[in-house]
């Protein structure tokens, strides 16, 4: 809602003495140029720049937008910047507390402001996914007729949480998690800025690295932790925020793990070897270390997909679909919930029967090809569909397996140099036992000799 006398007085007091506000509030960017990350949304002529009046003249006015992204990526910050920079009337609502009555009041006020004073209204609606379908429907006339320009924020997939008519009348802008470099710049700014800690404490490199792991791409989380740790350091009379002080403050131990160094590969290797060795508890330990250190969940998921084929294969044909499904889910949800999906896949893979037969099979086949053991494709297997192929003898003598009672024809498929070569040597572990029986039967009926 529009601020009342008490809200306006509180905001004025905050501006005069900002130290009473949380560090995350004090360090909010004042202009779009101060915003960290999201540069793909801040180019000249972008919808957000048009909302603050940059290049918004002419017959095409600014569009309503839906900001979708994880917590701490700057959705509220962008709306705040618009509210400070625009000469439009700015109204803020939260879907947690507002309902249809409040929405209609804003729309009525916007129509009066437009008709009476020619003033446009920007409505910021936070947590729009919490609105019911009927509540979202109440926004449609105002957005369609541009009585208000809507900025809606959501952490949930708008294709599931926002009604289609509202999506079609708005531009969907996707915010990405902040990078480590973005968070690092934010911490440095907060340490020295007059609105922040004014140089009261410094931040050693090892402590800074732990802040990056804690933040996980969330600016608000980083600033909240920084404020708490800085307070603890100053209470102790420390000029720098030590790693020990930060660990005590956030109650989270610093995992010795360098995402770009040896530990990154050592722990990843230990995870895969524990899965290969069927030690589910050790596998979960190494997974937890990677999760706690802020490892990219997509990297972990890729390693699990490789493990599913490399170490399990056809001993459990469901292993690869489970790993692929986990990778798809991780890409959609991210941390912290992705840890549950990765745990699910890790447990399934660790407890699955193991076979590296698929790995050794392609390795042996590649080895022969690289040695030059190839040779021409047998003439009866060559393409016979094009004009003149019959005259060359292509396809002659080929037996169509489906014409035979058992569905298998005794004929040569491999080149002459490899006609009796056997690459796939299935184990009798788990489901691969039936593949072992199938291989034995088919090779016999193909008339193959072992080499």
């Amino acid at each position: 809602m529009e601020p009342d006398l008490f809200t306006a007085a509180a905001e004025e007091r905050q501006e005069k003495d900002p130290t009473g506000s949380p560090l995350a509030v004090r360090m909010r960017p004042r202009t779009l140029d101060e915003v960290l990350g999201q540069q793909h949304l801040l180019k000249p002529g972008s919808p957000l720049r048009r909302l603050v009046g940059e290049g918004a003249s002419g017959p095409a006015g600014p569009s309503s937008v839906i900001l979708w992204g994880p917590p701490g990526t700057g959705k509220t910050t962008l709306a705040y910047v618009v509210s400070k920079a625009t000469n439009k009337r700015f109204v803020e609502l939260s879907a947690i507390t507002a309902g249809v009555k409040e929405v209609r009041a804003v729309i009525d006020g916007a129509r009066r402001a437009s008709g009476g004073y020619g003033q446009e209204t920007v409505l910021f609606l936070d947590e729009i996914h919490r609105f019911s379908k009927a509540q979202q429907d109440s926004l449609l006339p105002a957005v369609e007729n541009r009585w208000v320009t809507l900025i809606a924020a959501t952490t949930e997939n708008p294709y599931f949480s926002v009604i289609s008519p509202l999506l079609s009348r708005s531009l969907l802008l996707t915010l990405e998690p902040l990078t480590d470099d973005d968070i690092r710049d934010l911490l440095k700014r907060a340490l020295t800025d007059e609105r922040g800690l004014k140089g009261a404490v410094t931040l050693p490199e090892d402590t800074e690295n732990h802040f990056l792991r804690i933040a996980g791409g969330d600016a608000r989380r980083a600033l909240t932790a920084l404020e708490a740790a800085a307070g603890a350091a100053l209470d102790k009379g420390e000029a720098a925020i030590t790693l020990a002080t930060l660990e005590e403050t956030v109650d989270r131990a610093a995992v010795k793990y360098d995402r770009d160094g040896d530990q990154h590969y050592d722990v990843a290797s230990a995870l895969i070897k524990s899965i290969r060795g069927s030690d589910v508890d050790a596998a979960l330990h190494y997974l937890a270390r990677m999760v706690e250190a802020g490892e990219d969940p997509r990297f972990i998921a890729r390693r699990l997909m490789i493990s599913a084929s490399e170490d399990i294969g056809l001993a459990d044909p469901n292993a690869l679909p489970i790993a692929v499904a986990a990778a798809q889910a991780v890409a959609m949800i991210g941390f912290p919930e992705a840890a549950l999906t990765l745990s699910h896949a890790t447990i399934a893979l660790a407890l699955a029967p193991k076979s590296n037969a698929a790995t050794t099979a392609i390795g042996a086949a590649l080895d022969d090809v690289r040695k030059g053991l190839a040779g021409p494709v047998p003439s009866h297997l060559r393409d016979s569909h094009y004009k003149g192929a019959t005259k060359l003898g292509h396809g002659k003598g080929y037996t169509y397996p489906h014409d035979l009672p058992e569905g298998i024809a005794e004929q040569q498929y491999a080149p002459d140099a490899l006609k009796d070569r056997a690459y796939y040597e299935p184990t009798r572990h788990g489901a691969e036992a039936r593949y072992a029986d199938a291989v034995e039967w088919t090779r016999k009926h193909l008339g193959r000799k072992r080499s």
Side-chain angles (χ1 to χ4, degrees), residues 1 32 59 72 127 129 138 171 181 201 207 223 255 267 280 324 337 366 377:
M1 296 294 291
L32 290 178
E127 307 274 359
H129 55 271
S138 67
L171 294 176
D181 286 340
V201 288
T207 312
L223 291 174
V255 180
V267 176
V280 64
V324 170
E337 291 84 356
L366 287 169
V377 174

Side-chain angles (χ1 to χ4, degrees), residues 228-385:
L234 292 172
D235 287 345
K236 292 179 179 180
E238 298 173 346
I241 303 174
T242 65
L243 185 58
T245 296
L246 178 56
E247 289 178 308
E248 293 168 4
T249 304
V250 300
D251 191 25
R252 182 168 173 182
V255 180
K256 293 183 179 179
Y257 185 96
D258 179 2
R259 279 176 284 180
D260 298 317
D262 291 343
Q263 292 134 331
H264 166 85
Y265 297 103
D266 288 347
V267 176
S269 175
L271 169 66
I272 298 307
K273 288 174 180 173
S274 298
I275 290 174
R276 183 181 298 149
S278 300
D279 190 332
V280 64
D281 302 302
L284 286 169
H285 165 76
Y286 291 117
L287 173 64
R289 281 172 65 168
M290 298 172 84
V291 170
E292 187 67 10
E295 179 61 81
D296 185 344
R298 296 169 299 180
F299 169 78
I300 304 173
R302 287 195 295 270
R303 298 304 306 169
L304 295 179
M305 286 191 287
I306 294 168
S307 173
S309 290
E310 181 181 11
D311 296 315
I312 298 169
L314 292 171
D316 184 353
N318 289 320
L320 183 57
I322 287 172
V324 170
Q328 293 172 336
V330 160
M332 293 178 67
I333 61 179
F335 279 146
E337 291 84 356
L340 308 178
T341 304
L342 292 170
S343 173
H344 175 166
T346 297
I347 293 169
L349 268 56
L351 297 179
K354 305 297 189 295
S355 170
N356 71 340
T359 302
T360 57
I362 187 61
L366 287 169
D367 187 53
D368 276 352
V369 170
R370 288 162 184 162
K371 289 177 180 176
L373 290 173
V377 174
S379 60
H380 60 285
L381 298 184
R382 296 180 190 177
D383 183 11
S384 60
H385 291 87

Side-chain angles (χ1 to χ4, degrees), residues 122-143:
V122 174
L123 168 61
F124 173 55
L125 180 58
D126 201 10
E127 307 274 359
I128 189 174
H129 55 271
R130 295 180 181 270
F131 260 10
S132 67
K133 182 180 182 298
Q135 289 172 314
Q136 292 184 34
D137 280 336
S138 67
L139 292 164
L140 290 176
V143 173

Side-chain angles (χ1 to χ4, degrees), residues 17 42 75 80 89 180 211 342:
D17 181 20
L42 300 175
K75 298 181 295 296
Y80 173 83
R89 178 172 170 267
D180 283 354
F211 268 115
L342 292 170

Side-chain angles (χ1 to χ4, degrees), residues 420-431:
D420 290 319
R421 184 78 86 218
Y423 295 119
Y424 179 46
E425 298 294 348
T427 69
R428 292 200 170 269
H429 302 160

